[in-house]
Amino acid sequence: MKIVTCVAPVNIAVIKYWGKRDENLILPINDSISASLSTDIMCAKTTIMASPLLKENKFWLNGREQTFDSPRFSNCIKAIRARCDETLPQFNWKISICSENNFPTAAGLASSAAGYACLVHALAQLYEIKGEISDIARQGSGSACRSIYGGWVQWHKGDLPTGADSIATQIAPADHWPEMRIIVLVVNDCRKKYSSTSGMKTTTETSTLVKFRAESVVNQRAKAMKKAIEDKDYESFAEITMKDSNQMHAICLDTFPPCVYMNDTSHAIVNLVHSYNEYKKGQKVAYTFDAGPNACIYLLQSEVEQFISVVNHVFPKPADIDAVEYYRGLTLPNKQLDKKIVDDLNLTPHDTGVLKYIIYTKVGGGPQVLGDPSEHLLQDNGLPKQ
């Protein structure tokens, strides 16, 4: 028997991936850039067991048994096994896979990226594969290739029809910009109406703006973003991040029929960020939205105390929710809001409960193997512990 347990990070894109040139190989129409977030706060966790005693392949996700035959899932397993030494005993054994996320699935929080990166990293450990595996993770979920690395990561769209050059590379490690923080304002943690996969497909087929973006905008924007990250130039970073998020959602509206991911609360957050930045006379806070209503706020640690006090005023915590449940992740500062900023910005509170909860985190490392046997999600018989 051989058993491996891994964790892998969520990544939040600052240059967006939206649209494929090849649906089967999951090849994008443009480069994208993201930060991998700390696995201490948000992660996917996967245990894989191979044993001569197992009678069939099994897979559980978040406590529910899944089919082993879904195309993307099986493509990852086939691609890994194609690189495996067939003389290894585990190559001929059946496997059990158990995976879970410690955050909502399919709510626009990059759960599939973390999940497939974790799956592929764990499979690579199981079958003793060294070298590049981001191209395999990409075949599960495009953004998963970026979660194969920690820190700041670029997914290169590549040019080859095989997709061999459509891989991720690290721009800078997790400790490159230690002051950077991320606040996730969770507006809705339910499954979204339009999946990213279906939304992108419809966009590629119907949007004229997406072609302009791919041909005329993203290359220069990605170069500028890479330089901003390397130089730790927050002002440039923030402006590019927000512009690229806005453009992605403009393209979603240019899709026919349109894919609407943001809601009224999302737009209220956008307005608040711009008002705050105008008050501070510079880009101090940056929003970005993936395919969902939840806002990911990139900001430097020095700005967290004041900005979170503004958020708490505008989007009050419900009295019946415990603070430990509402504020998740790193410990947020608890500063009383300055009355002057309330008056100057004319801040009007929304109804309580508009935000479901808040996650405070930072940039983190890539996938890791957990050596402690108590971390395994599977029992010795190949069935989930829970």
Short mmCIF file of all heavy atoms in Angstrom, two decimals, residues 311-340:
data_model
loop_
_atom_site.label_atom_id
_atom_site.label_comp_id
_atom_site.label_asym_id
_atom_site.label_seq_id
_atom_site.Cartn_x
_atom_site.Cartn_y
_atom_site.Cartn_z
N VAL A 311 -15.14 48.99 5.82
CA VAL A 311 -15.99 47.88 5.38
C VAL A 311 -16.99 47.50 6.47
O VAL A 311 -18.18 47.30 6.20
CB VAL A 311 -15.12 46.65 4.99
CG1 VAL A 311 -15.99 45.39 4.81
CG2 VAL A 311 -14.34 46.93 3.72
N ASN A 312 -16.52 47.42 7.70
CA ASN A 312 -17.40 47.04 8.81
C ASN A 312 -18.51 48.06 9.04
O ASN A 312 -19.61 47.71 9.49
CB ASN A 312 -16.60 46.85 10.09
CG ASN A 312 -15.78 45.57 10.09
OD1 ASN A 312 -16.12 44.61 9.40
ND2 ASN A 312 -14.68 45.56 10.84
N HIS A 313 -18.22 49.31 8.74
CA HIS A 313 -19.25 50.35 8.89
C HIS A 313 -20.28 50.27 7.76
O HIS A 313 -21.49 50.35 8.01
CB HIS A 313 -18.58 51.74 8.88
CG HIS A 313 -19.56 52.88 8.96
ND1 HIS A 313 -20.12 53.31 10.14
CD2 HIS A 313 -20.11 53.65 7.98
CE1 HIS A 313 -20.96 54.30 9.90
NE2 HIS A 313 -20.97 54.54 8.59
N VAL A 314 -19.80 50.10 6.54
CA VAL A 314 -20.69 50.10 5.37
C VAL A 314 -21.47 48.79 5.25
O VAL A 314 -22.64 48.78 4.85
CB VAL A 314 -19.89 50.38 4.08
CG1 VAL A 314 -20.78 50.30 2.85
CG2 VAL A 314 -19.22 51.75 4.17
N PHE A 315 -20.82 47.69 5.62
CA PHE A 315 -21.46 46.36 5.54
C PHE A 315 -21.45 45.73 6.94
O PHE A 315 -20.59 44.90 7.25
CB PHE A 315 -20.72 45.47 4.54
CG PHE A 315 -20.62 46.04 3.16
CD1 PHE A 315 -19.42 46.56 2.68
CD2 PHE A 315 -21.72 46.09 2.32
CE1 PHE A 315 -19.32 47.10 1.41
CE2 PHE A 315 -21.64 46.63 1.05
CZ PHE A 315 -20.44 47.14 0.59
N PRO A 316 -22.39 46.10 7.80
CA PRO A 316 -22.35 45.67 9.20
C PRO A 316 -22.51 44.16 9.37
O PRO A 316 -23.28 43.52 8.65
CB PRO A 316 -23.53 46.42 9.84
CG PRO A 316 -23.94 47.46 8.85
CD PRO A 316 -23.54 46.97 7.50
N LYS A 317 -21.78 43.64 10.34
CA LYS A 317 -21.91 42.22 10.70
C LYS A 317 -23.24 42.00 11.40
O LYS A 317 -23.61 42.77 12.29
CB LYS A 317 -20.76 41.82 11.63
CG LYS A 317 -20.80 40.36 12.08
CD LYS A 317 -19.72 40.04 13.09
CE LYS A 317 -20.08 40.45 14.48
NZ LYS A 317 -21.21 39.67 15.06
N PRO A 318 -23.98 40.93 11.02
CA PRO A 318 -25.22 40.61 11.74
C PRO A 318 -24.94 40.29 13.20
O PRO A 318 -23.93 39.63 13.53
CB PRO A 318 -25.75 39.38 11.00
CG PRO A 318 -25.06 39.37 9.69
CD PRO A 318 -23.73 40.01 9.91
N ALA A 319 -25.81 40.74 14.07
CA ALA A 319 -25.60 40.55 15.51
C ALA A 319 -25.66 39.08 15.90
O ALA A 319 -25.04 38.67 16.89
CB ALA A 319 -26.65 41.34 16.28
N ASP A 320 -26.39 38.27 15.12
CA ASP A 320 -26.56 36.86 15.50
C ASP A 320 -25.46 35.95 14.99
O ASP A 320 -25.50 34.74 15.18
CB ASP A 320 -27.93 36.34 15.01
CG ASP A 320 -28.07 36.41 13.50
OD1 ASP A 320 -27.27 37.13 12.85
OD2 ASP A 320 -28.98 35.76 12.95
N ILE A 321 -24.44 36.51 14.31
CA ILE A 321 -23.32 35.70 13.84
C ILE A 321 -22.11 35.96 14.72
O ILE A 321 -21.71 37.12 14.93
CB ILE A 321 -22.98 36.02 12.36
CG1 ILE A 321 -24.15 35.63 11.44
CG2 ILE A 321 -21.72 35.27 11.92
CD1 ILE A 321 -23.89 35.88 9.97
N ASP A 322 -21.52 34.90 15.21
CA ASP A 322 -20.36 35.01 16.07
C ASP A 322 -19.17 35.57 15.28
O ASP A 322 -18.98 35.25 14.11
CB ASP A 322 -20.01 33.62 16.63
CG ASP A 322 -18.89 33.69 17.65
OD1 ASP A 322 -19.18 34.11 18.78
OD2 ASP A 322 -17.76 33.33 17.30
N ALA A 323 -18.39 36.42 15.94
CA ALA A 323 -17.25 37.05 15.26
C ALA A 323 -16.25 36.03 14.74
O ALA A 323 -15.66 36.22 13.67
CB ALA A 323 -16.56 38.02 16.23
N VAL A 324 -16.07 34.92 15.44
CA VAL A 324 -15.14 33.88 15.00
C VAL A 324 -15.61 33.25 13.69
O VAL A 324 -14.81 32.86 12.84
CB VAL A 324 -14.97 32.81 16.10
CG1 VAL A 324 -14.09 31.66 15.61
CG2 VAL A 324 -14.39 33.42 17.36
N GLU A 325 -16.93 33.15 13.53
CA GLU A 325 -17.50 32.58 12.31
C GLU A 325 -17.47 33.60 11.17
O GLU A 325 -17.31 33.24 10.00
CB GLU A 325 -18.95 32.14 12.58
CG GLU A 325 -19.66 31.51 11.40
CD GLU A 325 -19.06 30.20 10.94
OE1 GLU A 325 -18.34 29.55 11.73
OE2 GLU A 325 -19.31 29.82 9.77
N TYR A 326 -17.62 34.86 11.49
CA TYR A 326 -17.72 35.92 10.46
C TYR A 326 -16.34 36.35 9.95
O TYR A 326 -16.15 36.53 8.75
CB TYR A 326 -18.45 37.12 11.07
CG TYR A 326 -18.78 38.21 10.07
CD1 TYR A 326 -19.83 38.06 9.17
CD2 TYR A 326 -18.05 39.39 10.05
CE1 TYR A 326 -20.14 39.07 8.26
CE2 TYR A 326 -18.35 40.41 9.16
CZ TYR A 326 -19.40 40.24 8.26
OH TYR A 326 -19.71 41.25 7.36
N TYR A 327 -15.39 36.52 10.88
CA TYR A 327 -14.03 36.93 10.49
C TYR A 327 -13.13 35.69 10.48
O TYR A 327 -12.82 35.13 11.53
CB TYR A 327 -13.48 37.97 11.47
CG TYR A 327 -14.28 39.24 11.52
CD1 TYR A 327 -15.09 39.54 12.62
CD2 TYR A 327 -14.25 40.15 10.46
CE1 TYR A 327 -15.83 40.71 12.66
CE2 TYR A 327 -15.00 41.32 10.50
CZ TYR A 327 -15.79 41.60 11.60
OH TYR A 327 -16.52 42.75 11.63
N ARG A 328 -12.74 35.26 9.31
CA ARG A 328 -11.99 34.02 9.16
C ARG A 328 -10.57 34.30 8.68
O ARG A 328 -10.30 35.29 8.01
CB ARG A 328 -12.70 33.09 8.18
CG ARG A 328 -14.17 32.84 8.55
CD ARG A 328 -14.84 31.87 7.60
NE ARG A 328 -16.27 31.72 7.89
CZ ARG A 328 -17.07 30.86 7.28
NH1 ARG A 328 -16.58 30.06 6.35
NH2 ARG A 328 -18.36 30.81 7.60
N GLY A 329 -9.67 33.40 9.02
CA GLY A 329 -8.29 33.53 8.55
C GLY A 329 -7.41 34.24 9.55
O GLY A 329 -7.52 34.03 10.76
N LEU A 330 -6.52 35.09 9.05
CA LEU A 330 -5.63 35.85 9.92
C LEU A 330 -6.46 36.80 10.80
O LEU A 330 -7.59 37.15 10.45
CB LEU A 330 -4.64 36.66 9.08
CG LEU A 330 -3.74 35.88 8.12
CD1 LEU A 330 -2.94 36.85 7.24
CD2 LEU A 330 -2.80 34.96 8.88
N THR A 331 -5.89 37.21 11.91
CA THR A 331 -6.60 38.11 12.83
C THR A 331 -6.65 39.52 12.25
O THR A 331 -5.62 40.13 11.96
CB THR A 331 -5.91 38.14 14.20
OG1 THR A 331 -5.85 36.82 14.72
CG2 THR A 331 -6.67 39.03 15.17
N LEU A 332 -7.86 40.04 12.09
CA LEU A 332 -8.05 41.39 11.56
C LEU A 332 -7.95 42.41 12.69
O LEU A 332 -8.43 42.17 13.80
CB LEU A 332 -9.41 41.51 10.89
CG LEU A 332 -9.51 41.07 9.43
CD1 LEU A 332 -10.94 40.85 9.01
CD2 LEU A 332 -8.84 42.09 8.51
N PRO A 333 -7.34 43.57 12.42
CA PRO A 333 -7.33 44.62 13.43
C PRO A 333 -8.74 45.12 13.71
O PRO A 333 -9.59 45.10 12.82
CB PRO A 333 -6.47 45.73 12.80
CG PRO A 333 -6.43 45.43 11.34
CD PRO A 333 -6.62 43.95 11.19
N ASN A 334 -8.98 45.52 14.93
CA ASN A 334 -10.33 45.94 15.34
C ASN A 334 -10.27 47.39 15.79
O ASN A 334 -10.27 47.70 16.98
CB ASN A 334 -10.85 45.04 16.46
CG ASN A 334 -12.28 45.33 16.81
OD1 ASN A 334 -12.99 45.98 16.04
ND2 ASN A 334 -12.72 44.90 17.98
N LYS A 335 -10.22 48.30 14.81
CA LYS A 335 -10.07 49.72 15.11
C LYS A 335 -11.42 50.42 14.93
O LYS A 335 -12.17 50.15 13.98
CB LYS A 335 -9.04 50.35 14.16
CG LYS A 335 -8.80 51.83 14.41
CD LYS A 335 -7.98 52.45 13.29
CE LYS A 335 -7.83 53.95 13.50
NZ LYS A 335 -7.20 54.62 12.35
N GLN A 336 -11.71 51.35 15.84
CA GLN A 336 -12.91 52.16 15.72
C GLN A 336 -12.76 53.08 14.51
O GLN A 336 -11.70 53.69 14.32
CB GLN A 336 -13.13 52.99 16.99
CG GLN A 336 -14.50 53.63 17.12
CD GLN A 336 -15.60 52.59 17.33
OE1 GLN A 336 -15.34 51.52 17.88
NE2 GLN A 336 -16.80 52.88 16.87
N LEU A 337 -13.80 53.20 13.71
CA LEU A 337 -13.73 54.01 12.50
C LEU A 337 -13.67 55.50 12.86
O LEU A 337 -14.43 55.99 13.69
CB LEU A 337 -14.95 53.73 11.62
CG LEU A 337 -15.03 54.51 10.30
CD1 LEU A 337 -13.84 54.20 9.41
CD2 LEU A 337 -16.32 54.16 9.56
N ASP A 338 -12.76 56.20 12.20
CA ASP A 338 -12.63 57.64 12.37
C ASP A 338 -13.88 58.32 11.81
O ASP A 338 -14.25 58.13 10.65
CB ASP A 338 -11.37 58.10 11.61
CG ASP A 338 -11.07 59.56 11.82
OD1 ASP A 338 -11.94 60.30 12.34
OD2 ASP A 338 -9.97 59.99 11.42
N LYS A 339 -14.53 59.15 12.65
CA LYS A 339 -15.78 59.81 12.22
C LYS A 339 -15.54 60.72 11.02
O LYS A 339 -16.43 60.93 10.19
CB LYS A 339 -16.37 60.61 13.38
CG LYS A 339 -17.77 61.15 13.09
CD LYS A 339 -18.38 61.83 14.30
CE LYS A 339 -19.81 62.25 14.01
NZ LYS A 339 -19.93 63.12 12.84
N LYS A 340 -14.34 61.26 10.91
CA LYS A 340 -14.04 62.17 9.81
C LYS A 340 -14.19 61.48 8.46
O LYS A 340 -14.75 62.04 7.51
CB LYS A 340 -12.62 62.74 9.95
CG LYS A 340 -12.29 63.81 8.91
CD LYS A 340 -10.91 64.38 9.16
CE LYS A 340 -10.61 65.54 8.22
NZ LYS A 340 -10.71 65.20 6.79
#
